[in-house]
Amino acid sequence: MHVAAEIVALVVAVLAVTAVARRFDWSPPLCLIVVGVAASYIPGVPEYHLDPEVVLLGLLPPLLYATAIRTSLVDFRALKSPIALLSVGLVAFSTLVVGVVTWLVVPGLSLAAGFALGAIVAPPDAVAATAVARRVGIPRKLVRLLEGESLVNDAAALVALRTAIASIAGTVSVWEIGGDFLLAAGGGIVIGLAVGAVAAMLRKRLDDPATDTALSIAVPFVAYMTAEAVHGSGVLAVVIAGLLLGHKSPSILSGASRLANRLNWQTIQFLLENIVFLLIGLQVRRILMEVDETAIGPWALIGICAAILAATILARCVWMVIVGVSKRIAHGNKWPWSYSAVIAWAGMRGVVTLAAAFILPADTPQRAVLVLAAFVVVAGTLILQGTSLPILVRKLNLPSPDPAVDALQEAAVMHEMTRAGLAKLNEAKRPEDAPEVVKRLVDRMQQRSDSAWEQLGRQSALEETPSDVYRRLRLVMLEAERKQLLVARDAKTADDEVLRRVLESLDVEESMLDQFDEKPIAEQRELKTPAATAGACDHLTESNDDAIPSATDTCEECLAEDSQWVHLRKCLTCGHVACCDSSPKRHASGHFHDTLHPVMRSFEPGETWRWCFVDKTLG
């Protein structure tokens, strides 16, 4: 009963603190640590002992897996070299630098114990770094790089820690270190691939979303424990299995299973990643009580912790300078210094660091001081780097993800998907199929594609696109339908099972409504054209905007036919201005089919994107 009450108290505290932090735009991890520290001194608050096994076996696998299944395997492969430099090279460099500094500043400490602390504080925490990165809007490439680093660096750090602990008890040769690393890496990769392949085979045969979700929850624990049993890296096994299953999920899972998995893992990740920061704060009282028993004075402790914190931060900065210089030598100016600066400063530590500190054997010299130093590194990096990283990003003026470019890419993908779906419909339909059913399918496919294209005209004078109107009116209708269902429930005119099935169908339809552009239009940036797409089509490259437009702000064909238009498009060959594909008559597409003029561009104010009808390419 006491355990259940303590778990409920943790969850309630997390919900309350994160809600307040988001309300005032504060850092949730930092707020949770502060609340945890304060709560640890309140009489009657139970002591939450951060058992290393609970963190490394109970919390770390699902947290890694939740990130891995959302990480693109394609992007991970493309960034494998810089990820390796950070997750292996930087971990080794930080271990050496911090280890030597610790050995120098802590009296009576062996070099092996110093290296142990270096391995403990070496891996940054992705939760804190990427949360800040996404909030301030740094380039997605850097976010993916930080996520990739965090997926692998724990494995290298834990291997280094095990080696350092073994060195404390005796001598360890270079061959033993290399052998342990190869065994950990090789075993983790093999087990991860095997577990991922078996899980993919099983999940492909499961039709029930609940059973599939239960299996997905078991995967990270099976991968971790199996790898650790053969002395491989459980972290690597979880990451490999997660990347593999995340990559395969579109082809092996049903839509219902993917939706259930997405919602369940978002909830699990939210609770676990926030609970661990609260647990970190709750350890402070216990740590300080252990430090009081040492012979080192308070001022000496402050100096020791400050030196180790500075060494941890500076080691990452120095490493990024080395990497930046080498990249500029090898690749010219393709890697900006601003990118290196952001990565160097995105080194906040988290729960793995503190849990690893508690792994240190009880007879380790100055163990309490080392644990305190690990906590100071966690709290110090969250305070210094976590609060100043947004300021640094703004000062460097890094390009944030552009919603207009996203809209261009989304429209192109939706367009091609619609073409493929309609082509398959033409192949699959039979003569006896009702024409009205086929028409309903065609209209639905076209409406979905049009919804994506309409986002490109958000800066026009039109307050609502047709999709906005459809969504607004359908939501109102669904609310009325749901109220009528409740009337039927209260009047007992239908069985509860029947009502539940009807309610589920309403919920599914509501979740399927296209929810484009939930942010206010005023918050969107000016539309930018991705340069990469322009070079993929000769028609786009050769087109120019010299042709005189046939109209200024009207579709003359719509006026002649007494129709309405949504957005206007201009032919870059002859200047013909006509309505877009979201308009009822689609005169711009009709103009292309009549004349074969390949390129049109948006004729809306402030928009310059173009579309090649021949190559189906945006520019």
Side-chain angles (χ1 to χ4, degrees):
M1 186 66 180
H2 291 293
V3 175
E6 291 178 2
I7 293 175
V8 171
L10 285 174
V11 172
V12 171
V14 162
L15 294 176
V17 174
T18 53
V20 172
R22 290 175 177 175
R23 173 67 178 82
F24 294 98
D25 198 25
W26 296 338
S27 170
L30 189 57
C31 291
L32 287 165
I33 290 180
V34 171
V35 170
V37 172
S40 67
Y41 285 93
I42 298 177
V45 173
E47 291 189 10
Y48 291 85
H49 293 285
L50 192 61
D51 190 332
E53 287 298 320
V54 171
V55 174
L56 297 179
L57 181 58
L59 301 180
L60 185 58
L63 282 174
L64 288 171
Y65 184 79
T67 303
I69 57 177
R70 293 186 297 102
T71 301
S72 168
L73 181 60
V74 175
D75 291 337
F76 189 87
R77 287 172 176 169
L79 295 171
K80 60 181 180 296
S81 295
I83 288 174
L85 284 172
L86 293 175
S87 58
V88 180
L90 178 54
V91 165
F93 183 72
S94 297
T95 300
L96 292 174
V97 172
V98 177
V100 171
V101 171
T102 304
W103 173 60
L104 292 174
V105 299
V106 179
L109 192 72
S110 66
L111 184 59
F115 286 149
L117 181 64
I120 287 169
V121 302
D125 180 79
V127 174
T130 56
V132 175
R134 292 183 187 279
R135 189 169 72 248
V136 300
I138 70 173
R140 291 198 180 111
K141 181 179 180 180
L142 296 188
V143 176
R144 296 187 183 109
L145 184 54
L146 291 172
E147 287 179 340
E149 175 196 6
S150 68
L151 287 173
V152 185
N153 61 8
D154 290 335
L158 292 176
V159 171
L161 177 59
R162 285 200 294 261
T163 303
I165 292 176
S167 301
I168 295 174
T171 59
V172 178
S173 67
V174 176
W175 295 108
E176 289 177 313
I177 296 175
D180 288 344
F181 183 81
L182 291 177
L183 177 61
I189 292 173
V190 171
I191 296 299
L193 290 173
V195 172
V198 172
M201 181 180 63
L202 293 175
R203 297 180 72 182
K204 191 173 184 179
R205 290 164 171 75
L206 294 177
D207 297 325
D208 179 33
T211 305
D212 178 78
T213 300
L215 176 59
S216 73
I217 293 175
V219 167
F221 298 103
V222 172
Y224 189 91
M225 290 188 291
T226 305
E228 291 293 324
V230 298
H231 303 289
S233 170
V235 171
L236 268 183
V238 173
V239 169
I240 296 297
L243 287 172
L244 186 62
L245 289 172
H247 186 70
K248 288 179 173 291
S249 65
S251 58
I252 64 175
L253 301 182
S254 65
S257 294
R258 282 195 300 274
L259 180 62
N261 270 271
R262 188 179 303 116
L263 294 176
N264 287 321
W265 276 109
Q266 284 177 349
T267 304
I268 292 172
Q269 186 175 19
F270 168 78
L271 288 175
L272 292 185
E273 69 186 18
N274 286 293
I275 284 175
V276 294
F277 284 111
L278 184 60
L279 287 173
I280 288 174
L282 289 168
Q283 307 307 304
V284 171
R285 184 180 179 185
R286 173 188 169 193
I287 294 172
L288 292 179
M289 290 175 61
E290 293 179 358
V291 171
D292 283 341
E293 300 175 1
T294 65
I296 302 177
W299 290 108
L301 283 173
I302 294 175
I304 289 171
C305 293
I308 294 173
L309 174 61
T312 303
I313 294 175
L314 291 176
R316 187 176 180 89
C317 295
V318 171
W319 181 259
M320 288 311 303
V321 170
I322 296 172
V323 171
V325 170
S326 63
K327 280 187 171 292
R328 291 176 75 89
I329 293 175
H331 304 291
N333 294 326
K334 292 183 179 180
W335 184 262
W337 283 114
S338 56
Y339 283 22
S340 296
V342 170
I343 295 174
W345 204 243
M348 290 79 84
R349 269 60 177 179
V351 68
V352 175
T353 291
L354 199 58
F358 286 116
I359 294 177
L360 290 172
D363 58 352
T364 302
Q366 305 290 4
R367 181 181 183 276
V369 176
L370 298 181
V371 174
L372 176 63
F375 173 80
V376 170
V377 168
V378 173
T381 53
L382 283 172
I383 294 173
L384 294 176
Q385 296 178 311
T387 57
S388 59
L389 182 60
I391 300 174
L392 176 65
V393 171
R394 296 188 193 101
K395 291 291 185 182
L396 294 175
N397 196 27
L398 293 180
S400 61
D402 194 327
V405 174
D406 291 347
L408 282 169
Q409 296 177 357
E410 185 173 0
V413 172
M414 283 290 188
H415 182 84
E416 294 302 319
M417 289 168 55
T418 300
R419 290 181 62 218
L422 293 177
K424 179 58 69 174
L425 175 64
N426 290 330
E427 294 178 9
K429 66 180 181 181
R430 294 173 294 188
E432 61 269 23
D433 290 335
E436 60 271 17
V437 175
V438 176
K439 183 179 185 303
R440 194 186 312 163
L441 289 169
V442 172
D443 290 343
R444 173 56 188 154
M445 291 287 291
Q446 196 62 56
Q447 186 269 336
R448 189 184 65 177
S449 179
D450 291 347
S451 297
W453 283 106
E454 288 164 8
Q455 306 315 302
L456 303 176
R458 285 290 183 180
Q459 295 172 339
S460 69
L462 189 69
E463 293 184 0
E464 283 188 308
T465 66
S467 295
D468 293 332
V469 176
Y470 175 89
R471 178 173 176 268
R472 172 172 55 81
L473 295 178
R474 185 58 188 138
L475 287 174
V476 173
M477 294 170 63
L478 285 171
E479 182 63 24
E481 293 170 23
R482 193 176 290 108
K483 288 180 179 179
Q484 185 59 40
L485 181 142
L486 296 178
V487 171
R489 181 198 63 183
D490 296 339
K492 299 181 179 180
T493 58
D495 186 78
D496 184 67
E497 288 295 325
V498 175
L499 294 174
R500 287 181 182 275
R501 285 200 299 269
V502 175
L503 181 61
E504 183 179 350
S505 68
L506 295 180
D507 294 339
V508 169
E509 182 177 359
E510 184 175 346
S511 68
M512 291 176 60
L513 286 174
D514 298 322
Q515 299 190 20
F516 294 108
D517 192 39
E518 294 183 353
K519 294 182 179 180
I521 297 174
E523 294 182 7
Q524 295 201 23
R525 294 152 56 100
E526 182 181 352
L527 183 65
K528 295 181 180 179
T529 302
T533 59
C537 170
D538 291 338
H539 300 105
L540 290 173
T541 304
E542 296 170 359
S543 64
N544 56 65
D545 201 13
D546 296 337
I548 299 174
S550 61
T552 55
D553 57 359
T554 59
C555 174
E556 295 178 345
E557 291 161 294
C558 283
L559 290 177
E561 299 175 20
D562 195 23
S563 181
Q564 296 179 334
W565 63 90
V566 178
H567 304 299
L568 297 176
R569 309 292 182 238
K570 172 188 171 183
C571 173
L572 295 189
T573 301
C574 66
H576 180 75
V577 175
C579 58
C580 66
D581 278 0
S582 294
S583 305
K585 298 297 183 178
R586 305 182 185 184
H587 288 125
S589 293
H591 176 73
F592 162 70
H593 291 297
D594 292 339
T595 63
L596 297 182
H597 294 168
V599 180
M600 65 87 174
R601 79 161 179 87
S602 173
F603 201 56
E604 296 298 322
E607 297 183 3
T608 58
W609 62 268
R610 296 167 295 155
W611 171 255
C612 177
F613 288 100
V614 177
D615 296 322
K616 310 299 181 185
T617 304
L618 286 164

